[in-house]
Amino acid sequence: MAASLRLWRLKPSRILRCSVASGFSSGATAGSGQQPQLEKLTSTRQQDGIRHVILNNPKKRNALSLSMLKCLRNDILHDIESQALRVIIISAEGPAFSAGHDLKELSSEQDTKHHIEVFETCAEVMTLLQKLPVPVIAKVNGLATAAGCQLVASCDIAVASEKSRFATPGVNIGLFCSTPAVAVGRALSRKVALEMLFTGEPISAHDALLHGLLSRVVPEDKLEEETMKIAHKICETSRSVVALGKATFYKQMALDLDAAYRMTSQVMVDNLTLKDGQEGIEAFIQKRKPTWSHSVNTACK
């Protein structure tokens, strides 16, 4: 039981290593400036269990530079184990969600060591999103290309406006989108993903929805409302149950069918031992709303 209930827990060493160098605020301002070497390229706010992390470098089309990636990592990891945090929404200022990596960082002006750090940090952020104990929603209103498209594909849920477009155009500048292909190739069908990767041509929001990159597409003036509707619905559930379910979902996807059923069957048994597992069933039987504890502790026998 203990093993499956710990599926979603982040290692403390990871949180310490990714300390909030960029600062974390309840508004859109930067942190205290104690470490000015890391420019604050995101803004954050949190209310009613929902944390908004906004890519905030529209002049550079919210490029996922090394600094931007570190800011993003720090913002999503801040106080991640708090029961007050239930959902993270990633959005962006300006007409582009993200144009992907900052190509100036990938030029010959930077050495191979720097290039390695960029891609390793990017991979860390993308995989981290699926390891978090809370759902992560991408709210997209504009163009998402290359690593920006990768970011959308890496989130648990993605809502986009009708004007949004998605592309992996690296092939056109001689840098194949191999790392974006990891997330895009797992979200879309193989042939659609490969057409995007081989041609670099963008797809519309509706095609992205059709092929599995997005959860839903809405008019631009409904984007905030529809995204918040999903977030508020998640906030009505038990954090501990959602955390266990999210971790289990991603783990079983990597298993064969028989192993997946063996693992998830045991997790459901373990889920029943959680306080919120029993509270939910009792509330249903008694025809009342459940009172969630959000605790990972087991129910008393």
Side-chain angles (χ1 to χ4, degrees):
M1 178 185 71
S4 58
L5 291 180
R6 287 198 302 268
L7 273 172
W8 57 271
R9 282 201 174 279
L10 289 169
K11 295 180 180 179
S13 59
R14 170 63 67 196
I15 297 174
L16 290 173
R17 191 159 61 249
C18 299
S19 60
V20 190
S22 63
F24 187 90
S25 66
S26 59
T29 58
S32 63
Q34 293 177 350
Q35 299 189 39
Q37 72 274 17
L38 183 56
E39 183 184 0
K40 185 64 174 166
L41 298 173
T42 57
S43 61
T44 54
R45 68 180 189 273
Q46 185 170 325
Q47 184 177 6
D48 299 328
I50 302 169
R51 177 177 299 169
H52 296 264
V53 179
I54 304 107
L55 308 183
N56 194 19
N57 192 16
K59 290 182 179 180
K60 291 193 174 182
R61 298 165 62 85
N62 296 309
L64 294 180
S65 63
L66 184 57
S67 293
M68 175 73 89
L69 288 166
K70 288 180 177 179
C71 288
L72 181 58
R73 178 181 64 187
N74 293 336
D75 287 343
I76 63 177
L77 280 175
H78 175 78
D79 206 15
I80 191 64
E81 299 294 348
S82 170
Q83 289 186 2
L85 177 63
R86 308 299 314 288
V87 185
I88 295 173
I89 298 174
I90 299 176
S91 60
E93 291 288 349
F97 177 78
S98 175
H101 290 294
D102 185 342
L103 293 182
K104 289 184 178 179
E105 292 189 336
L106 305 182
S107 69
S108 59
E109 294 179 6
Q110 300 287 347
D111 59 20
T112 299
K113 182 179 179 181
H114 182 82
H115 296 164
I116 291 172
E117 185 181 8
V118 169
F119 291 115
E120 286 185 346
T121 303
C122 184
E124 178 188 1
V125 170
M126 301 301 171
T127 56
L128 181 61
L129 295 174
Q130 296 180 0
K131 295 175 183 177
L132 298 175
V134 297
V136 182
I137 304 173
K139 185 178 78 172
V140 186
N141 188 31
L143 186 64
T145 62
C149 187
Q150 179 185 3
L151 178 57
V152 176
S154 298
C155 290
D156 303 309
I157 297 170
V159 184
S161 66
E162 292 173 328
K163 76 174 189 180
S164 300
R165 294 186 300 155
F166 306 85
T168 51
V171 67
N172 294 323
I173 60 167
L175 182 65
F176 198 87
C177 286
S178 294
T179 48
V182 175
V184 172
R186 283 163 170 75
L188 286 78
S189 68
R190 182 177 299 184
K191 287 180 172 58
V192 174
L194 285 171
E195 181 178 339
M196 290 180 66
L197 291 161
F198 289 156
T199 67
E201 288 296 304
I203 62 172
S204 69
H206 286 290
D207 282 344
L209 174 66
L210 175 67
H211 297 300
L213 182 63
L214 300 175
S215 309
R216 63 178 68 181
V217 174
V218 299
E220 184 177 5
D221 61 356
K222 295 290 185 181
L223 180 59
E224 175 72 12
E225 176 185 342
E226 291 299 316
T227 304
M228 292 300 291
K229 189 181 297 184
I230 297 171
H232 284 306
K233 186 64 179 177
I234 293 170
C235 287
E236 295 176 4
T237 64
S238 164
R239 175 184 160 112
S240 55
V241 171
V242 169
L244 180 61
K246 175 177 172 174
T248 302
F249 175 84
Y250 285 113
K251 186 173 182 181
Q252 64 86 18
M253 288 293 287
L255 302 175
D256 64 51
L257 191 63
D258 290 337
Y261 272 117
R262 284 194 299 271
M263 190 268 286
T264 54
S265 295
Q266 182 59 55
V267 170
M268 291 201 73
V269 172
D270 295 343
N271 193 158
L272 288 171
T273 71
L274 288 174
K275 286 183 178 180
D276 284 351
Q278 287 302 308
E279 167 62 15
I281 291 174
E282 290 174 9
F284 179 82
I285 294 172
Q286 297 168 10
K287 298 182 180 180
R288 61 173 174 83
K289 289 189 68 174
T291 302
W292 304 122
S293 69
H294 306 296
S295 172
V296 297
N297 295 328
T298 56
C300 298
K301 296 295 184 181

